[in-house]
């Protein structure tokens, strides 16, 4: 078993192997012998492109589309590293690392165990059948018991019903440019809505996804020359919900604004975002799915990060009796966790 100093959080997650090699995952300015990228969301993506990176082909293409000034990524591989589907967004991967001392690490990145849309969920049972995971580094975005999500099929049907029930009014749907936006587009396509519009940034990612997956997004590009009316849907990036042009659309068309996020479990999400309607549509695992994943993998040690990292680590220790600590930036030894 490796020492606790092997895992740290600096610029990205760092794992120091007994070979002397350093793995760096999801760093802003990757600086390691081996660079790993879990997926192409902005909070995991580089601002300075690495020379070589371990990631899926789709993630490399999406990253290049989102970081156009940095050019294309050069993908590589490593004999000690395998990636498996993480189920978070298209192209996302969890990373399995087998160190020469026999220690096996699993870095989940962001993940979801639910099969949905064009995604296969993270399969902890399949991983556990092939690997004995010693050290798990997991996200804990929704690592509190109150964050339990509705069954996926039920939720999707409820969203489609809402789209049909409000068909006499234009709607603006807010979700992340990568992942949530594409899911919303596919839901709109299953509804009785007339026209679907997206921004140039979303359209650019749609094109990349369509070039690899057998999925089509029946969306037109939204621009100043477009006037939305009854039956129309506009999908916008989540961060634009309070911009003046959105207010202008609402004032002129009477459009309804809807927000989609796991955080919609909280009533305050609706009011913070100034939404008319909200739905708990998430690309992360909920609390029960996080817990079930750890039970299935049964590692000797767990590091948590993101969201409710402290609370979830405490839950793992007290309920599952597994050594767990939240991973804090620049802490490199177990004693520093206090």
């Amino acid at each position: 078993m490796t020492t606790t100093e092997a895992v740290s959080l600096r610029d990205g997650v760092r794992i120091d192997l007994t070979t002397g090699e350093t793995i760096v995952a999801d760093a802003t300015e990757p600086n390691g012998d081996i660079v790993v990228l879990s997926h192409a969301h902005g909070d995991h993506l580089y601002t300075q492109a690495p020379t070589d990176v371990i990631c899926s082909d789709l993630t490399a293409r999406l990253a290049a589309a989102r970081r156009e000034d940095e050019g294309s990524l050069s993908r590589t591989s490593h004999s000690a590293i395998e990636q498996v589907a993480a189920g978070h967004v298209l192209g996302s991967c969890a990373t399995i690392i087998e160190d020469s001392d026999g220690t096996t690490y699993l870095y989940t990145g962001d993940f979801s165990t639910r099969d949905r849309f064009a995604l296969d969920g993270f399969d902890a049972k399949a991983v556990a059948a092939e690997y004995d995971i010693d050290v798990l580094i997991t996200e804990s975005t929704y690592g509190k018991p109150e964050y339990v999500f509705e069954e996926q099929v039920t939720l999707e049907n409820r969203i489609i019903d809402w789209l049909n029930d409000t068909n006499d009014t234009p709607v603006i749907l807010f979700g992340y440019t990568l992942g949530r936006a594409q899911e919303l587009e596919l839901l709109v396509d299953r509804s009785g809505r007339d026209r679907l519009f997206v921004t140039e940034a979303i359209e650019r990612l749609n094109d990349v996804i369509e070039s690899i997956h057998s999925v089509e997004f029946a969306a037109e590009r939204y621009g100043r020359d477009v006037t939305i009316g009854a039956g129309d849907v506009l999908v916008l990036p989540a961060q634009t919900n309070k911009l003046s042009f959105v207010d202008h659309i609402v004032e002129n068309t009477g459009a309804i604004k809807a927000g989609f996020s796991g955080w919609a479990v909280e009533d305050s999400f609706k009011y913070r975002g100034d939404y008319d309607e909200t739905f708990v549509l998430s690309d992360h695992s909920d609390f029960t799915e996080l817990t079930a994943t750890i039970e299935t993998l049964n590692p000797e040690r767990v590091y948590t990060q993101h969201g409710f990292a402290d609370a979830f680590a405490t839950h793992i220790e007290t309920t599952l009796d597994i050594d767990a600590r939240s991973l804090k930036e620049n802490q490199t030894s177990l004693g520093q966790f206090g």
Side-chain angles (χ1 to χ4, degrees):
M1 174 58 62
T2 189
T3 63
T4 58
E5 287 80 5
V7 178
S8 59
L9 180 62
R10 300 183 186 182
D11 179 9
V13 171
R14 172 175 170 150
I15 302 172
D16 293 314
L17 303 180
T18 54
T19 60
E21 296 171 297
T22 296
I23 296 173
V24 174
D26 294 348
T28 303
E29 296 183 4
N31 183 21
D33 302 305
I34 304 165
V35 174
V36 169
L37 178 61
S38 65
H39 65 286
H41 271 162
D43 58 337
H44 290 251
L45 195 56
Y46 56 83
T47 56
Q48 179 180 321
T51 303
D52 296 295
V53 63
I54 296 175
C55 66
S56 70
D57 177 44
L58 180 52
T59 290
R61 297 190 192 197
L62 290 168
R66 304 199 77 181
R67 296 284 189 266
E68 291 180 295
D69 293 343
E70 291 289 332
S72 300
L73 285 179
S74 172
R75 294 175 62 226
T76 189
S77 61
H78 192 283
S79 60
I81 295 176
E82 181 184 355
Q83 290 193 312
V84 296
H88 177 56
V89 295
L90 288 167
S92 64
C93 288
T95 303
I96 300 164
I97 304 113
E98 295 185 279
D99 200 356
S100 59
D101 69 346
T103 303
T104 301
Y105 299 86
L106 170 60
Y107 170 65
T108 65
D110 292 339
F111 78 100
S112 173
T113 61
R114 297 182 303 282
D115 294 338
R116 61 203 191 285
F117 305 106
L119 282 165
D120 293 326
F122 174 71
D123 191 343
K125 290 182 179 178
V127 172
E130 187 170 353
Y131 298 93
D132 291 325
I133 301 299
D134 299 302
V135 179
L136 173 65
I137 307 157
T138 179
E139 65 129 320
S140 49
T141 302
Y142 296 112
K144 278 190 174 183
E146 54 264 42
Y147 294 94
V148 175
F149 304 149
E150 192 173 11
E151 287 291 330
Q152 188 70 28
V153 173
T154 303
L155 171 62
E156 291 178 18
N157 288 336
R158 198 159 59 81
I159 294 170
I160 292 169
D161 287 345
W162 175 80
L163 287 167
N164 289 331
D165 290 344
T166 58
N167 197 39
D168 58 347
T169 306
V171 293
I172 307 175
L173 313 182
F174 294 89
Y176 293 127
T177 306
L178 171 60
R180 204 75 44 79
Q182 287 74 35
E183 293 165 6
L184 292 172
E185 291 174 73
L186 293 175
L187 288 171
V188 171
D189 189 55
R190 289 162 54 188
S191 76
R193 286 280 176 164
D194 295 331
R195 298 186 301 173
L196 171 63
F197 297 95
V198 298
T199 64
E200 187 276 334
I202 294 173
E203 184 182 63
R204 186 167 66 247
L205 299 184
N206 287 353
D207 291 343
V208 174
I209 293 167
E210 287 176 334
S211 72
I212 294 181
H213 282 271
S214 56
V215 59
E216 292 186 10
F217 303 103
E220 304 173 54
R221 186 188 296 188
Y222 178 77
R224 293 183 178 180
D225 59 331
V226 173
T227 300
I228 64 171
D232 291 342
V233 178
L234 172 60
V235 177
L236 294 178
Q239 66 272 20
T240 67
N241 68 325
K242 291 187 177 181
L243 296 183
S244 59
F245 86 93
V246 174
D247 293 335
H248 180 76
I249 294 172
V250 172
E251 289 170 3
N252 284 276
T253 68
I256 299 171
K257 299 198 303 180
F260 299 81
S261 173
W263 298 114
V265 166
E266 304 173 2
D267 291 338
S268 60
F269 175 78
K270 181 176 183 178
Y271 303 106
R272 290 198 311 269
D274 191 27
Y275 299 119
D276 300 300
E277 186 62 74
T278 58
F279 293 92
V280 184
L281 178 65
S282 177
D283 293 325
H284 295 263
S285 292
D286 70 6
F287 177 79
T288 58
E289 292 160 342
L290 288 169
T291 301
T293 296
I294 294 170
E295 289 179 307
T296 299
L297 295 171
N298 192 29
E300 294 186 19
R301 180 177 303 127
V302 178
Y303 292 95
T304 59
Q305 65 167 155
H306 303 307
F308 299 108
D310 291 338
F312 192 55
T314 299
H315 167 74
I316 295 167
E317 287 206 305
T318 57
T319 304
L320 304 182
D321 195 26
I322 296 174
D323 179 31
R325 298 289 186 274
S326 58
L327 196 57
K328 302 293 179 68
E329 192 169 3
N330 296 321
Q331 289 179 328
T332 58
S333 69
L334 196 62
Q336 287 180 279
F337 288 101

